[in-house]
Amino acid sequence: MASANRNLRQAGVYSAALLASTMLTSVAAKAQQAVSLEEVVVTAQKRSENLQDVPVSIQAMGEAKLEQLQVSNFVDYVKYLPSVSFTTAGPGFGQVYMRGVASGGDGNHSGSLPSVGVYLDEQPISTIQGALDIHVYDVARVEALAGPQGTLYGASSQAGTLRIITNKPTSAGFSAGVDVELNQVHSEDLGHVEEAFINLPLSDTVAVRLVGWNEETAGYIDNVKGTRTYGRGTADPSDDLTISNAGIASNNYNGTSTKGARAALRVELGDNWVITPSVMGQRTKTSGIFAYDPKLGDLKVSHFYPEASDDTWLQTAMTIEGQIANLDVTYAGSFLKRDVDTRQDYSDYSYFYDQVGYGFYWTNDTGGLANPSQYITGKDGYTKESHEIRLATPDDKRLRFIGGLFYQRQQHNITQRYKIDGIGYDIEVPGYSDTIWLTAQQRIDRDYAAFGEATFDITPKLTAMAGVRFFKSDNSLEGFYGYGKGYGSTGEKACFRVGGVNGAPCTNLDKRVKETGHVPKVTVTYKFDDTKLAYVTYSEGFRPGGINRRSTLPPYQADYLKNYEFGWKTSWMENRVRWNGAVFMEDWQNFQFSILGANGLTEIKNANQARIKGLESDVTLAVTRGFTINAAATYTDAQLTANYCGVTDASGNPVTKCATPQAPDGTVLPVTPKFKANLTARYEFDLGPYESYLQASAVRQTSSWTDLRLVERAIIGQQSGYTLIDLSGGVSRDDWSMSVYIKNLTDKRASLNRYAECAESVCGSQVYITPNQPRTVGVKIGRKF
């Protein structure tokens, strides 16, 4: 393997040298040719517009760019969005943040709503657990809208919005494509991808588009053999219990299988109306976990119970577009059903909390001592229904308006069983064998909104826009959590009603909170000429409050983000250079902060204030015909502006004065690095009868923390900064294309998350790191019809 790694590194160096020399020898010959950058069309303001005309900080990757960067999933495209940061526990379990608006600890079923909204076309697809990890194929573009988008996009767009825009059916003509790929991860196991689409006109006014994909990704985490010994509290070591994972230990045990399909129909009704129903579904199955134990070595872990996830979702959607008089009318509705089954090793908790912390032992039906190791089986069922109707006046009017109504209802049925095989009948939760702790809850989040934006051209160069969104949220949490009658003060002993959610023995939680409010947005734009504009914006974003299931804690309150921004969109040298950017300052008020409290229960408290200052910019340069360089970067300075003491008053308001704050004024917020940037150089040229290209990309980000609190930071440690390099090249002729790529050329270990399996103060000596995918080499062949 060492020899193979050296060969790969040498191949990468030679490829980079070839790319550089080919570019340099060709620049002089092509310098005199007329070149310009292509127009980028976005729909960020729910109208089709040139990116350079939109006074919003947007990063957009079109279909060609996504293909060039070998983007196939969430981690792939987020890597190239400097304003976006994230944590992940594996496919489908990512939490996304923008512009430093991150406190860490999100993603728990009883936690806060996301602060970044993720949309598939017109429909929101964020769930509490995280957004759908959609396989990226036949996608027109990905848009990242930085800063509060609460006016047009609502509650989960407090800090920004990600939009995945698919290719739509068209009756303009037949088209189809097939792509196959073979890849190797970490110079070991092989993976493969098969993708296809077809656009079929059925008549002059009806067309259908069908898309399908299958992806098998090789694993790279080794579950190595190991043992763990539980003391029995006696002087005789032979009384101790030692467990082993020899039966499930294996190499590369975190493989992934993803299958999915999409179908969309376009029906034109007369000259003014279009109906586009669609359905999309995907199933992702994983084995193992996507993290390693640095004490055991690179990409190694030692877990004692089988681990896996099965994430299946189906979304049906309908978009209706038309005109009434001179008004554009749009309806967008969707229904999402997502079911996630998980199995997790939880023996760290058993060892560090029950054994080391309390010297506690569990017994079986005969009174003997049971194996105390725990594991978790989970079933999460999500449904999400959304409806939006909006009206827009013509784009060519001096006074323009867009406004509408929005409704959303999302429900999360939660069943999590914390199991110890063979525990006594009188200890387990009734109806759930071997279950020491049960969480069986139903969470419902309801959102209602009315929104509008008016834009007025004061002069041909000066434009003002003002908007507002009025919202109402209604969130509830009902069910059961805790032990059976045989142990503890929670669970059955705290029940106040017989019968419960998902077959629970009774109900000990039934809370509801409602809120109303509004968020404004004001933007003034000045166009110096057709290629340059500058804008100033004041906007606000919000995130609804919710329920703490621990009865001693009050509900957590909504948090708000105030954004002050100056931005610019410019093109230079006859559209050979495009330079966009923004500077911003954001005040985050009473932000929601989630932690794992006693017994591993999630607690959400409002945590005072933070201020975020930053600069984001991207530059694209057409050096010569075929030679393009793109660079993008974000600098973020996110800090507390008041102490975090870890306590609130009876109304949920944060306390700021304490002798020893858990995070003092000036503490840097977690997750987001101070600096994140990427650079891509691409050269397209003719090689005989073949259209060819060479490309090199680099991504760099600095270090970050995963927790706000200083004690927990010292336990878990800091995530180091990293630089990742990707190379690719390819040829095409007629309808055929072939490309080869190397992702993560230097086989760098980037830390995407760093965590302990239970509260850091308990399990903190056992830290796990979620890495990026190791070096991957692939070849891809495609044909268009």
Side-chain angles (χ1 to χ4, degrees):
M1 183 183 299
S3 176
N5 288 341
R6 285 196 299 271
N7 291 338
L8 282 173
R9 285 193 291 269
Q10 291 171 359
V13 172
Y14 295 154
S15 299
L18 175 62
L19 173 62
S21 63
T22 304
M23 290 176 175
L24 290 173
T25 56
S26 301
V27 166
K30 295 192 173 185
Q32 302 303 317
Q33 297 185 19
V35 294
S36 64
L37 298 171
E38 294 183 357
E39 178 180 290
V40 178
V41 176
V42 297
T43 52
Q45 297 188 122
K46 303 198 174 182
R47 306 172 184 260
S48 293
E49 299 171 287
N50 184 343
L51 171 69
Q52 296 304 103
D53 295 331
V54 181
V56 177
S57 181
I58 306 173
Q59 293 167 316
M61 292 188 288
E63 183 174 17
K65 184 78 168 179
L66 294 169
E67 292 178 355
Q68 292 165 8
L69 294 173
Q70 309 294 331
V71 169
S72 65
N73 55 41
F74 168 79
V75 173
D76 285 344
Y77 67 77
V78 168
K79 180 171 70 172
Y80 289 100
L81 299 174
S83 295
V84 180
S85 53
F86 70 100
T87 63
T88 182
F93 297 89
Q95 298 296 319
V96 59
Y97 308 92
M98 296 185 77
R99 282 190 173 176
V101 182
S103 57
D106 298 312
N108 186 278
H109 50 70
S110 300
S112 303
L113 286 165
S115 63
V116 173
V118 182
Y119 279 69
L120 175 61
D121 294 321
E122 292 276 357
Q123 293 80 24
I125 57 171
S126 299
T127 63
I128 299 300
Q129 184 170 281
L132 303 181
D133 196 344
I134 296 171
H135 181 80
V136 179
Y137 177 70
D138 195 47
V139 167
R141 65 187 175 276
V142 173
E143 299 176 1
L145 287 61
Q149 307 296 323
T151 306
L152 291 182
Y153 290 98
S156 286
S157 292
Q158 177 190 47
T161 301
L162 290 178
R163 304 182 69 225
I164 302 169
I165 313 298
T166 61
N167 285 322
K168 305 300 187 295
T170 174
S171 56
F174 172 85
S175 62
V178 177
D179 293 277
V180 294
E181 176 184 329
L182 182 68
N183 56 59
Q184 185 179 40
V185 179
H186 205 218
S187 303
E188 296 185 8
D189 290 354
L190 297 177
H192 57 88
V193 184
E194 298 81 36
E195 304 163 319
F197 80 90
I198 181 172
N199 183 87
L200 183 63
L202 303 179
S203 71
D204 291 341
T205 58
V206 180
V208 64
R209 194 176 191 95
L210 305 175
V211 187
W213 56 91
N214 174 65
E215 180 177 13
E216 301 289 333
T217 304
Y220 46 86
I221 301 292
D222 296 340
N223 191 23
V224 299
K225 292 181 180 180
T227 60
R228 172 169 281 166
T229 299
Y230 293 91
R232 296 299 198 181
T234 68
D236 187 353
S238 64
D239 292 335
D240 296 345
L241 172 67
T242 298
I243 62 172
S244 169
N245 69 344
I248 64 169
S250 64
N251 292 338
N252 305 325
Y253 90 133
N254 63 319
T256 303
S257 172
T258 300
K259 296 176 173 62
R262 183 176 84 241
L265 180 70
R266 176 184 172 92
V267 180
E268 300 175 14
L269 302 176
D271 296 331
N272 297 326
W273 290 88
V274 176
I275 301 176
T276 310
S278 65
V279 59
M280 183 174 182
Q282 181 175 287
R283 183 178 188 182
T284 300
K285 299 177 69 174
T286 71
S287 58
I289 64 169
F290 289 76
Y292 69 95
D293 178 356
K295 294 179 181 178
L296 295 178
D298 185 34
L299 303 179
K300 298 182 186 302
V301 72
S302 186
H303 272 196
F304 298 89
Y305 287 90
E307 296 174 288
S309 69
D310 188 347
D311 185 354
T312 304
W313 57 266
L314 180 71
Q315 185 197 54
T316 56
M318 173 80 78
T319 301
I320 302 174
E321 301 168 285
Q323 285 189 323
I324 298 177
N326 68 336
L327 296 176
D328 294 328
V329 182
T330 302
Y331 164 79
S334 68
F335 181 81
L336 170 67
K337 187 178 190 305
R338 182 184 187 188
D339 294 298
V340 183
D341 293 343
T342 55
R343 184 182 174 106
Q344 302 168 257
D345 185 300
Y346 202 53
S347 56
D348 284 358
Y349 181 90
S350 310
Y351 183 76
F352 290 106
Y353 191 87
D354 290 343
Q355 174 92 154
V356 177
Y358 291 94
F360 193 82
Y361 312 97
W362 299 102
T363 57
N364 55 32
D365 284 333
T366 63
L369 297 175
N371 176 356
S373 299
Q374 293 188 36
Y375 61 96
I376 306 171
T377 61
K379 287 184 175 292
D380 292 271
Y382 304 87
T383 59
K384 185 163 190 168
E385 176 185 359
S386 67
H387 303 274
E388 179 174 300
I389 186 167
R390 62 180 184 268
L391 303 175
T393 58
D395 295 345
D396 57 356
K397 300 297 183 182
R398 187 178 182 187
L399 176 62
R400 301 175 294 282
F401 175 80
I402 183 171
L405 302 173
F406 175 81
Y407 166 74
Q408 175 179 277
R409 183 185 190 274
Q410 51 184 329
Q411 180 172 311
H412 183 185
N413 284 318
I414 309 150
T415 305
Q416 282 195 330
R417 300 172 63 182
Y418 294 73
K419 302 182 69 175
I420 299 176
D421 291 337
I423 59 169
Y425 174 80
D426 56 352
I427 300 175
E428 64 191 17
V429 177
Y432 288 86
S433 62
D434 295 334
T435 301
I436 187 64
W437 176 287
L438 173 68
T439 298
Q441 298 173 174
Q442 183 182 83
R443 173 174 178 167
I444 303 177
D445 295 271
R446 311 161 187 86
D447 297 283
Y448 312 81
F451 62 91
E453 287 185 353
T455 303
F456 181 66
D457 295 330
I458 302 171
T459 71
K461 293 187 175 184
L462 183 64
T463 300
M465 186 281 293
V468 66
R469 188 180 189 98
F470 296 93
F471 67 87
K472 174 184 177 181
S473 63
D474 181 356
N475 303 328
S476 60
L477 186 62
E478 176 186 1
F480 175 93
Y481 69 97
Y483 299 99
K485 286 184 178 179
Y487 178 72
S489 59
T490 60
E492 280 195 276
K493 291 183 179 180
C495 282
F496 50 79
R497 188 166 67 231
V498 176
V501 173
N502 301 334
C506 52
T507 298
N508 58 17
L509 171 68
D510 190 355
K511 296 181 180 181
R512 192 166 184 170
V513 61
K514 300 180 181 181
E515 293 177 295
T516 59
H518 69 279
V519 288
K521 181 178 181 179
V522 178
T523 298
V524 177
T525 306
Y526 185 80
K527 295 197 71 170
F528 299 93
D529 54 40
D530 290 340
T531 63
K532 300 175 185 64
L533 68 80
Y535 68 90
V536 291
T537 292
Y538 171 77
S539 58
E540 293 184 11
F542 73 99
R543 181 169 52 165
I547 304 300
N548 268 300
R549 57 177 170 166
R550 191 183 295 279
S551 60
T552 56
L553 295 177
Y556 56 94
Q557 303 172 357
D559 57 6
Y560 288 84
L561 185 70
K562 295 183 177 181
N563 174 61
Y564 309 85
E565 181 176 334
F566 168 74
W568 61 92
K569 301 285 183 74
T570 64
S571 298
W572 306 81
M573 299 173 60
E574 298 181 340
N575 201 34
R576 289 180 57 184
V577 179
R578 182 184 297 141
W579 178 37
N580 300 336
V583 292
F584 59 88
M585 183 180 74
E586 298 180 333
D587 288 326
W588 197 10
Q589 300 176 329
N590 287 355
F591 65 87
Q592 297 163 15
F593 180 47
S594 301
I595 65 168
L596 287 178
N599 301 116
L601 279 181
T602 298
E603 300 177 359
I604 308 98
K605 301 176 182 178
N606 292 88
N608 300 313
Q609 322 295 326
R611 171 163 286 181
I612 304 154
K613 302 175 184 177
L615 165 67
E616 52 201 15
S617 182
D618 66 89
V619 178
T620 303
L621 168 64
V623 181
T624 67
R625 181 176 297 277
F627 182 22
T628 305
I629 298 175
N630 173 257
T634 295
Y635 173 81
T636 307
D637 181 16
Q639 298 183 12
L640 290 181
T641 54
N643 292 335
Y644 170 64
C645 294
V647 294
T648 60
D649 63 21
S651 300
N653 298 305
V655 173
T656 60
K657 295 182 179 180
C658 51
T660 307
Q662 296 183 24
D665 182 358
T667 299
V668 174
L669 296 185
V671 180
T672 304
K674 277 205 174 233
F675 181 74
K676 181 182 178 183
N678 64 75
L679 174 68
T680 299
R682 181 180 177 87
Y683 183 59
E684 299 177 352
F685 57 97
D686 293 332
L687 187 64
Y690 299 98
E691 297 177 359
S692 309
Y693 80 89
L694 293 171
Q695 179 174 286
S697 300
V699 174
R700 169 65 185 169
Q701 78 170 48
T702 55
S703 60
S704 63
W705 299 96
T706 59
D707 201 293
L708 177 67
R709 299 161 296 173
L710 300 189
V711 171
E712 282 69 17
R713 286 185 177 184
I715 295 172
I716 295 297
Q718 189 176 37
Q719 299 195 117
S720 299
Y722 56 84
T723 300
L724 304 177
I725 300 173
D726 298 342
L727 297 178
S728 62
V731 296
S732 61
R733 182 178 180 181
D734 300 326
D735 298 327
W736 290 90
S737 63
M738 184 183 75
S739 61
V740 294
Y741 67 83
I742 305 176
K743 290 184 178 181
N744 191 9
L745 173 67
T746 60
D747 202 27
K748 178 70 175 178
R749 297 291 172 266
S751 177
L752 307 183
N753 196 14
R754 194 177 176 102
Y755 67 95
E757 286 188 348
C758 61
E760 290 87 345
S761 58
V762 177
C763 296
S765 61
Q766 181 59 71
V767 174
Y768 297 91
I769 298 174
T770 304
N772 61 321
Q773 187 165 298
R775 182 193 297 115
T776 302
V777 180
V779 58
K780 187 173 184 178
I781 299 174
R783 186 180 182 187
K784 295 292 192 294
F785 301 90

